[in-house]
Amino acid sequence: MTDLRKTVETFWASAEARDWDTFAGTLAEDVEYTLPQTRERISGRERYVQFNREYPGDWHLRIERIVAEPGQVVSWVHFTVGLDEMYAISFFTEDGHGRISTITDFWPEPYEPPAGRDHLTERY
C-alpha cells in the first residue's frame, strides 16, 4: 500500500463523514481539481473544500475499488443523491509528501448499448 492510497482512503472517508478538517488535511495547499466533461477547474485547497462542503443534496459514497502505485491512485466510487445513483472514476497524484496534488474526475453517464451485439453480451 502506498502512502497516497491511504490518503485517498482518508479523503473519501472524510468526505462521506463531512469531516472537512480531515478532508482538507489530505490535500496539498495548491491542489488542482479538474472535471474534463464540464471543462471546470478548481485551484487551491480552500476553494476545493468549499466546493465539496457546498455540494447540494444529501449525497453519500461507497468506494468500489482503489488501484494504487507509487505517486498515483485511481478510485471507482459509487454515489447516491436521494434516489439517483452514479459512479465516478477519479485519478489522484501526490505532492511528494503524501498529500493529494491533483484530482481528475470523470462522471460517466449510463447509455443503451448499440444494437447487434446482444448475442455476445449479458445485461445486468
Side-chain angles (χ1 to χ4, degrees), residues 10-121:
T10 300
F11 168 91
W12 286 126
S14 60
E16 172 62 23
R18 310 307 193 265
D19 178 353
W20 302 118
D21 290 334
T22 300
F23 182 83
T26 67
L27 305 170
E29 182 69 36
D30 61 347
V31 66
E32 188 170 286
Y33 175 66
T34 306
L35 290 150
Q37 290 161 299
T38 59
R39 297 182 322 276
E40 294 174 286
R41 180 174 298 127
I42 298 172
S43 298
R45 177 173 34 205
E46 187 176 320
R47 291 172 61 95
Y48 182 61
V49 172
Q50 182 178 351
F51 171 81
N52 282 279
R53 182 183 288 129
E54 295 177 0
Y55 201 87
D58 184 27
W59 53 268
H60 294 279
L61 66 91
R62 178 184 73 240
I63 297 171
E64 295 288 327
R65 185 173 183 188
I66 292 180
V67 177
E69 63 179 48
Q72 56 186 348
V73 170
V74 178
S75 67
W76 172 26
V77 178
H78 175 263
F79 286 86
T80 57
V81 182
L83 298 176
D84 293 330
E85 296 184 38
M86 60 203 82
Y87 290 90
I89 305 296
S90 304
F91 294 83
F92 299 86
T93 61
E94 70 167 315
D95 66 355
H97 301 287
R99 292 176 305 223
I100 297 166
S101 61
T102 66
I103 306 161
T104 304
D105 266 354
F106 292 92
W107 295 82
E109 293 288 327
Y111 64 93
E112 290 301 310
R117 62 184 189 196
D118 55 328
H119 65 289
L120 301 171
T121 65

